Amino acid sequence: MSFQIGDTAPDFEADTTQGHIKFHDWIGNSWCILFSHPKDFTPVCTTELGYMAKLEPEFKRRNVKIIGLSVDPVDNHAKWAVDIEETQGAKPTYPMIGDPDLRISKLYGMLPASAGGDASVRTPADNQTVRNIFVIGPDKKIKLIMVYPMTTGRNFDEVLRIIDSLQLTSTHKVATPVNWRPGDDVIIAGSVSDEEAKKIYPEGWNAPRPYLRIVPQPK
């Protein structure tokens, strides 16, 4: 099964490093980042998990919960966390899902349904497609899907920027332009007519083209 932006994120129950969860209940009224890993004790993932531990306060400030997934048992995750802290200078305090039967990886379309169900006999290369980032909104809808190769570390500063854009555009009728950063000008959404825009922005806007209406970022 494959998913698109706007689809409901599949619900599931799973064991994590912080106990058993029902995914949708765990998200609650927060935003969520679910990011997956092909195997414990893999080098690129070790750096990623450590960096996310450092960034977690920034995500919390934005009402975003972080949860990882790796195709190994929860007990292995706890041992891996020691290595992450020693090598990256930060220990994950967010939960890590154990997926040794590949059930959740298959549910989210990261592995084919025919994939073997015993994680212990699978190599990282067997699970190389389990390198996804899903951003899920409080409405449990998928807002973003990113897929990375095993040899390229993920850019979680970019994910933080995307969260800022998603949260801004979910509450204001705007879109964010290329390389936007918080505080930069934004674009009035194409779904907003000029008549409606005049009510929202009585001071007007800069329009190098009729379809490109630029305004300061709403407060």
Side-chain angles (χ1 to χ4, degrees):
M1 183 179 294
S2 61
F3 296 94
Q4 306 295 326
I5 290 174
D7 289 347
T8 299
D11 198 10
F12 59 83
E13 294 190 37
D15 292 326
T16 79
T17 51
Q18 296 183 9
H20 193 80
I21 66 164
K22 191 173 188 296
F23 188 48
H24 283 192
D25 290 347
W26 179 83
I27 294 174
N29 293 320
S30 300
W31 291 70
C32 172
I33 295 171
L34 168 63
F35 68 118
S36 60
H37 307 271
K39 197 80 175 171
D40 289 4
F41 304 102
T42 48
V44 173
C45 295
T46 297
T47 65
E48 293 172 339
L49 288 162
Y51 193 72
M52 278 297 265
K54 295 174 183 177
L55 270 185
E56 187 177 15
E58 287 297 320
F59 286 110
K60 282 185 176 179
R61 192 162 65 84
R62 292 162 171 81
N63 189 33
V64 180
K65 292 182 176 180
I66 300 169
I67 191 163
L69 176 148
S70 185
V71 183
D72 270 317
V74 168
D75 289 348
N76 282 17
H77 296 352
K79 297 172 185 175
W80 191 15
V82 175
D83 280 6
I84 293 165
E85 182 177 23
E86 291 180 354
T87 63
Q88 307 304 309
K91 183 178 182 179
T93 56
Y94 49 84
M96 282 285 292
I97 298 165
D99 192 27
D101 58 3
L102 315 181
R103 177 175 52 88
I104 301 165
S105 297
K106 293 178 183 180
L107 179 65
Y108 271 73
M110 295 182 285
L111 286 173
S114 59
D118 184 356
S120 65
V121 298
R122 295 176 64 87
T123 68
D126 293 329
N127 303 329
Q128 61 184 302
T129 54
V130 188
R131 291 273 296 153
N132 289 19
I133 299 171
F134 297 94
V135 174
I136 301 163
D139 58 0
K140 313 305 182 291
K141 303 290 187 182
I142 295 173
K143 309 299 183 181
L144 173 84
I145 303 170
M146 300 174 75
V147 186
Y148 279 72
M150 285 181 62
T151 51
T152 301
R154 287 173 268 200
N155 185 338
F156 289 112
D157 291 328
E158 168 64 0
V159 177
L160 193 64
R161 187 189 77 92
I162 291 167
I163 290 288
D164 285 335
S165 174
L166 288 169
Q167 292 185 341
L168 175 68
T169 59
S170 70
T171 54
H172 297 278
K173 296 179 179 181
V174 297
T176 55
V178 62
N179 296 331
W180 173 87
R181 306 295 301 183
D184 291 350
D185 288 348
V186 297
I187 299 167
I188 299 173
S191 59
V192 177
S193 70
D194 282 352
E195 291 305 311
E196 184 181 359
K198 288 175 184 177
K199 297 176 183 177
I200 302 172
Y201 302 101
E203 298 84 5
W205 53 83
N206 175 30
R209 293 292 186 275
Y211 59 83
L212 184 58
R213 299 167 295 173
I214 301 167
V215 293
Q217 177 184 316
K219 302 297 184 183

